[in-house]
Amino acid sequence: MVELPKSLSARQLFKLLKAERSVQSALALFDSASRQPGYTHSPHIFLHILRRLTDPKLVVHMSRIVELIKAEKCKCTEDVVLTVLKAYAKNKMPNQALDCFQKMEEIFGCKPGIRSYNALLNAFIEANQLEKAESLFAYFETVGILPNLQTYNILIKISVKKRQFVKAKGLLDGMWSKYLKPDVYSYSTVINGLVKSGDLVSAHEVFDEMFERGLVPDVMCYNIMIDGFFKRGDYPKGKEIWERLVKGSCVYPNVVTYNVMINGLCKMRRFDESLEMWERMKKNECEMDSFTHSSLICGLCEAGNIVRAVEVYEEMVKSGVVVDVVTYNALLNGLCRAGKIKESFELWVMMAKENCHNVVSFNIFIRGLFENRKVEEAISIWELFRKKGSGADSTTYGVLIHGLCKTGHLNKALKILKDAKDGGDKLDAFAYSSIVDGLSKHGRVDEALGMVHQMDSDGCKLSPHVCNPLINGFVRASKLEEAIKFLREMESKGCSPTIVSYNTLINGLCKAERFSDAYSFVKEMLEKDWKPDMITYSLLMDGLCQGKKMDMALNLWRQVLDMGLEPDVTMHNILIHGLCSAGKIRDALLLYSNMKQSNSLPNLVTHNTLMDGLYKARECEKASVIWACMFKYGFQPDIISYNIKLKGLCSCGRISDGILLFDDALKHGILPTAITWYILVRAVLMLGPPDSSSSNGKSNGYAHTGMSWNFLTANVVFLISWQYLQVRMDLAYDNFNTASNHLLGEQ
């Protein structure tokens, strides 16, 4: 610190204080001068030091300096008082502001003017003491203080905070009638309040009023409007405000405008336009900040354009913009989602060098590694996290436990859950739901139930995300009574079952052919004013079809139509399958024909189902028509399609066509399965050798194929060998063995 001369003047001290960049050093210099014998501070010295103490960490020194002003009986201007009042307002210290205001004459030797009243008004507002602010304004008249523009702006602020927008707009109108011309701040306060409340129509009206009144909105007004429309998802309106801004001649976009545009466009998945905005920003030489870069990087990663995201990151580094942890996390998330694990680790190392790891970084990376089946790597990152002594949050445990359960490491997940509980760490419903789901899928439903009860006893609120997997577990284990009991238990514990809860239970009851019970739960849903969705009716339909209760299934179909619902493709497929299984091929074909004229177009499953039904009914020609329709509607047959047609051709004795079809599947890169080999081998064996005939003396049916027994056998062996040599030897060997063993078992 600079040593002060023995004979110190206020002018010398002022120069020294101005030259001192550090606030702490300036304060120490001020205190040193205060202790110097024979020296007293001047008003402009007090004003200077007070203006440097508005920071929350330094405002504590303000009261002792005010006491010093009082002790030295320094007569100050109102500017000194305003500095103190504004500092107290900024730091939400209304009581100190009021005390200072009330003792103005005693401490500062000056009377409060309109500016001091306004500053105190604002202090009450910043502390959300709106009633006190209104009482103070009412006091204005009693002391003869006339409100000015700033007063009205503060009153507008009060009305907006109280969501009294009609009153706020009335104040604007009142200002015009009193010849107190509102400024841009007056209007922007109202516009901002209306936008935040979601009333964008009124905000737009106030915005347009500015033009009608001859007042030019500043760039902040434009930014507020664009941001509001984009957050609402109203792209046309937001774009319209942007166009008005860029076509005007008085106001120009700033970095905040571009940030709002880029962030908003990315959120609405208009990634190409966000890139155009980025290029426009560069062209106009508008300086980009870290938010600009992180918004675009996040958007590009969301769009799957990781290459461009990396380029933006590299531009950011090159331009000298500090890469913050938010930007790093966005890029890390994008790399993980793109499956670029090597690059993710390289970025992770870079983040470590820059000391830019936070709990969100660990959560993102652990989740990304699990999603890419890198279990050991995910666990190693978790271990690193623990070694660093960083506090894992509930999301960390949720991500870790979910990843372990999904990758089959259930016991490891259970251990981590136990360690977290023993360590007093917080766990959320996501962690518990993953454990319950994992236990339920492994048939450990009793443990899953115990986990739910433990969660409840620990004070963790039950949610459908936790309870629904357990209901599903009971259903899969055929413990339907336990599932029903638990559904009732959910309600008693304040966790309302969802449509998913009911659908899961209805599905189980239908599979167990307990249709009356299933219908009773549908009735219960209706009594609760819940509309069963298409999944509910599809599950009922499937159960009835599986139980060969086609009359009830068709009746349910008519009920769905009568309710004005449009059955989706899944429900159509279920009914078509049921009709085909019941031998009602004509009805199935009629339903298929109606689909093509509705909003629910047939898919590949529809064609596979119909084709299978037609072949089973020996309607080979009609099945071939359905096969042709697949291609007509742009579907590429899968292995299921080929297996159905292959089985159908072989059942009709058309083995040569079947072998040609098999060859076509291989040419299209579709690998045979054990079922494929089973169909082929069975067909050849069932035909028998050339001289064999059935016991009734009739031909065995091979002759009309135009192929000899040996030739058929050779073709099958050739196809197996082709797959053995050209595709996958282990697959061919395993599939052939599976098919052969199955056939030997039949015989």
Side-chain angles (χ1 to χ4, degrees):
M1 188 177 67
V2 178
E3 189 175 338
L4 296 174
K6 290 182 180 179
S7 177
L8 179 67
S9 69
R11 180 174 290 184
Q12 287 174 310
L13 180 60
F14 186 69
K15 284 183 179 179
L16 291 170
L17 289 172
K18 279 185 74 177
E20 189 57 68
R21 290 187 178 183
S22 166
V23 179
Q24 293 286 4
S25 298
L27 186 60
L29 194 64
F30 173 85
D31 289 337
S32 179
S34 302
R35 292 189 294 269
Q36 193 151 321
Y39 173 81
T40 56
H41 294 296
S42 65
H44 67 277
I45 293 291
F46 281 118
L47 181 61
H48 175 83
I49 199 67
L50 286 168
R51 280 176 174 170
R52 298 181 74 171
L53 297 177
T54 57
D55 186 89
K57 293 177 182 177
L58 299 168
V59 75
V60 290
H61 298 286
M62 197 157 278
S63 58
R64 69 179 179 83
I65 291 174
V66 169
E67 285 299 318
L68 185 61
I69 293 171
K70 181 181 177 182
E72 292 188 1
K73 296 181 180 179
C74 179
K75 287 190 177 292
C76 300
T77 63
E78 193 178 10
D79 287 334
V80 177
V81 188
L82 287 172
T83 302
V84 177
L85 292 175
K86 286 176 182 178
Y88 286 145
K90 179 184 174 182
N91 291 281
K92 294 180 173 55
M93 300 166 70
N95 294 335
Q96 289 86 336
L98 178 60
D99 185 60
C100 180
F101 177 85
Q102 289 172 335
K103 296 176 180 177
M104 269 184 72
E105 284 191 77
E106 179 188 344
I107 297 170
F108 301 99
C110 64
K111 291 184 178 181
I114 184 61
R115 292 190 299 160
S116 298
Y117 277 93
N118 288 342
L120 184 59
L121 260 181
N122 195 52
F124 286 136
I125 293 170
E126 291 300 318
N128 212 32
Q129 294 183 1
L130 306 182
E131 288 75 17
K132 284 187 178 181
E134 288 176 328
S135 298
L136 177 63
F137 178 69
Y139 178 69
F140 276 36
E141 289 184 17
T142 63
V143 290
I145 296 290
L146 291 175
N148 62 4
L149 174 62
Q150 189 187 6
T151 314
Y152 274 96
N153 283 346
I154 293 168
L155 292 174
I156 288 169
K157 201 173 176 183
I158 293 172
S159 300
V160 167
K161 273 184 171 281
K162 295 179 82 172
R163 300 175 72 84
Q164 295 174 344
F165 298 113
V166 174
K167 186 176 179 180
K169 287 194 278 186
L171 284 166
L172 284 176
D173 294 336
M175 290 168 76
W176 287 108
S177 64
K178 292 178 182 178
Y179 303 104
L180 268 174
K181 183 181 177 182
D183 59 8
V184 172
Y185 180 82
S186 317
Y187 276 91
S188 66
T189 303
V190 178
I191 291 167
N192 191 41
L194 288 165
V195 167
K196 284 183 176 177
S197 72
D199 189 356
L200 287 159
V201 174
S202 297
H204 204 178
E205 288 172 359
V206 175
F207 181 75
D208 287 340
E209 185 186 310
M210 294 180 75
F211 293 93
E212 293 165 10
R213 297 277 195 178
L215 199 62
V216 179
D218 63 3
V219 70
M220 186 183 289
C221 293
Y222 282 98
N223 294 346
I224 292 166
M225 290 300 299
I226 295 168
D227 190 48
F229 281 123
F230 277 1
K231 280 180 178 173
R232 175 68 69 84
D234 192 340
Y235 169 76
K237 287 285 186 185
K239 192 68 184 292
E240 177 201 322
I241 301 293
W242 162 259
E243 293 295 339
R244 285 169 69 173
L245 170 60
V246 294
K247 287 176 182 176
S249 57
C250 300
V251 185
Y252 302 97
N254 60 10
V255 65
V256 177
T257 319
Y258 284 109
N259 286 348
V260 166
M261 288 298 294
I262 290 171
N263 189 49
L265 289 167
C266 285
K267 292 275 175 69
M268 288 185 286
R269 305 190 67 79
R270 292 179 171 271
F271 304 112
D272 290 340
E273 288 180 64
S274 66
L275 276 170
E276 287 172 15
M277 201 60 61
W278 167 268
E279 293 301 330
R280 180 180 185 135
M281 213 174 166
K282 289 200 290 187
K283 184 180 176 182
N284 292 336
E285 296 181 351
C286 183
E287 190 175 343
M288 301 166 185
D289 58 18
S290 59
F291 186 81
T292 322
H293 290 86
S294 64
S295 296
L296 188 59
I297 288 169
C298 191
L300 291 167
C301 290
E302 186 70 25
N305 191 351
I306 192 65
V307 174
R308 189 71 183 94
V310 171
E311 286 174 1
V312 172
Y313 162 72
E314 288 170 350
E315 285 180 43
M316 184 180 184
V317 174
K318 191 176 178 181
S319 62
V321 178
V322 177
V323 185
D324 60 11
V325 70
V326 176
T327 310
Y328 274 123
N329 286 346
L331 188 57
L332 181 67
N333 189 44
L335 289 168
C336 288
R337 289 177 65 179
K340 294 184 177 291
I341 300 303
K342 179 175 173 289
E343 291 83 351
S344 299
F345 271 104
E346 288 171 358
L347 183 66
W348 184 258
V349 171
M350 178 66 71
M351 290 170 71
K353 286 179 182 176
E354 299 291 330
N355 195 27
C356 266
H357 286 158
N358 62 9
V359 66
V360 177
S361 314
F362 280 93
N363 294 348
I364 288 168
F365 204 25
I366 291 169
R367 184 183 65 240
L369 290 168
F370 273 124
E371 286 174 353
N372 285 278
R373 311 294 293 183
K374 301 290 182 183
V375 180
E376 290 182 13
E377 289 86 344
I379 293 171
S380 71
I381 295 297
W382 161 247
E383 295 297 338
L384 174 67
F385 191 31
R386 297 189 69 184
K387 280 180 186 176
K388 285 185 71 176
S390 303
D393 61 9
S394 58
T395 304
T396 315
Y397 282 110
V399 166
L400 184 64
I401 289 168
H402 179 76
L404 288 168
C405 290
K406 283 290 181 184
T407 52
H409 297 77
L410 181 58
N411 291 331
K412 175 78 173 172
L414 284 164
K415 184 179 183 306
I416 286 173
L417 184 81
K418 184 179 182 301
D419 291 344
K421 282 176 61 63
D422 293 344
D425 290 324
K426 191 177 179 183
L427 295 165
D428 60 11
F430 183 53
Y432 280 106
S433 66
S434 299
I435 289 285
V436 171
D437 186 47
L439 289 168
S440 299
K441 283 178 178 174
H442 282 78
R444 296 161 64 176
V445 285
D446 293 335
E447 289 178 71
L449 181 61
M451 187 63 66
V452 170
H453 288 154
Q454 185 182 350
M455 175 186 173
D456 184 42
S457 63
D458 288 344
C460 191
K461 191 177 179 182
L462 292 179
S463 74
H465 294 296
V466 176
C467 298
N468 288 345
L470 182 54
I471 294 174
N472 191 41
F474 281 129
V475 168
R476 288 175 63 173
S478 299
K479 295 184 175 184
L480 295 174
E481 295 308 319
E482 286 90 336
I484 295 168
K485 181 183 175 184
F486 182 69
L487 186 82
R488 301 300 178 215
E489 193 177 314
M490 279 175 71
E491 293 175 304
S492 66
K493 292 186 182 296
C495 177
S496 180
T498 62
I499 288 178
V500 175
S501 316
Y502 280 96
N503 285 350
T504 304
L505 192 53
I506 289 165
N507 183 36
L509 291 167
C510 286
K511 284 182 177 177
E513 298 189 15
R514 292 171 57 176
F515 299 112
S516 59
D517 291 333
Y519 271 106
S520 70
F521 277 104
V522 174
K523 185 182 176 184
E524 187 176 308
M525 289 171 74
L526 293 168
E527 286 170 356
K528 290 183 176 182
D529 290 330
W530 289 359
K531 289 185 179 180
D533 58 11
M534 203 55 66
I535 296 172
T536 315
Y537 290 116
S538 294
L539 291 169
L540 280 170
M541 181 81 67
D542 190 43
L544 292 168
C545 289
Q546 295 282 351
K548 302 190 185 305
K549 298 184 180 296
M550 286 310 302
D551 290 339
M552 291 177 70
L554 289 167
N555 185 45
L556 177 63
W557 176 265
R558 284 188 285 271
Q559 285 179 34
V560 169
L561 294 176
D562 290 343
M563 285 187 284
L565 298 172
E566 288 190 12
D568 58 10
V569 67
T570 303
M571 184 176 271
H572 277 92
N573 290 345
I574 289 167
L575 187 56
I576 286 171
H577 183 265
L579 291 167
C580 287
S581 299
K584 297 177 179 288
I585 302 297
R586 278 189 184 179
D587 293 334
L589 285 169
L590 181 61
L591 187 58
Y592 168 72
S593 180
N594 291 337
M595 280 181 81
K596 290 184 283 185
Q597 297 165 13
S598 69
N599 292 327
S600 181
L601 295 173
N603 60 12
L604 185 61
V605 175
T606 318
H607 292 90
N608 286 346
T609 305
L610 255 182
M611 199 163 55
D612 188 45
L614 288 165
Y615 274 125
K616 283 177 180 175
R618 297 298 177 121
E619 298 271 8
C620 297
E621 294 306 316
K622 287 181 181 178
S624 296
V625 172
I626 298 299
W627 175 265
C629 284
M630 270 192 215
F631 293 96
K632 180 182 175 182
Y633 296 123
F635 296 111
Q636 179 60 47
D638 58 8
I639 187 58
I640 296 171
S641 315
Y642 277 102
N643 283 346
I644 289 168
K645 186 169 176 64
L646 182 63
K647 185 180 179 183
L649 290 171
C650 290
S651 67
C652 296
R654 295 167 57 183
I655 300 178
S656 58
D657 292 336
I659 291 172
L660 290 173
L661 179 74
F662 183 92
D663 189 46
D664 180 67
L666 294 174
K667 284 177 182 176
H668 283 89
I670 295 174
L671 296 179
T673 62
I675 294 170
T676 318
W677 297 120
Y678 170 74
I679 293 166
L680 271 174
V681 175
R682 188 175 189 277
V684 173
L685 292 175
M686 292 300 286
L687 281 174
D691 58 350
S692 66
S693 58
S694 61
S695 57
N696 60 10
K698 292 181 181 179
S699 168
N700 59 23
Y702 87 95
H704 76 279
T705 66
M707 303 170 73
S708 69
W709 164 263
N710 291 335
F711 184 72
L712 283 169
T713 310
N715 265 282
V716 173
V717 172
F718 168 76
L719 290 169
I720 294 168
S721 301
W722 189 91
Q723 189 187 16
Y724 182 86
L725 293 170
Q726 302 293 329
V727 189
R728 279 183 57 192
M729 57 188 349
D730 58 334
L731 180 67
Y733 182 77
D734 290 346
N735 285 343
F736 183 63
N737 273 345
T738 303
S740 301
N741 291 336
H742 197 97
L743 282 166
L744 288 170
E746 279 189 357
Q747 294 174 2

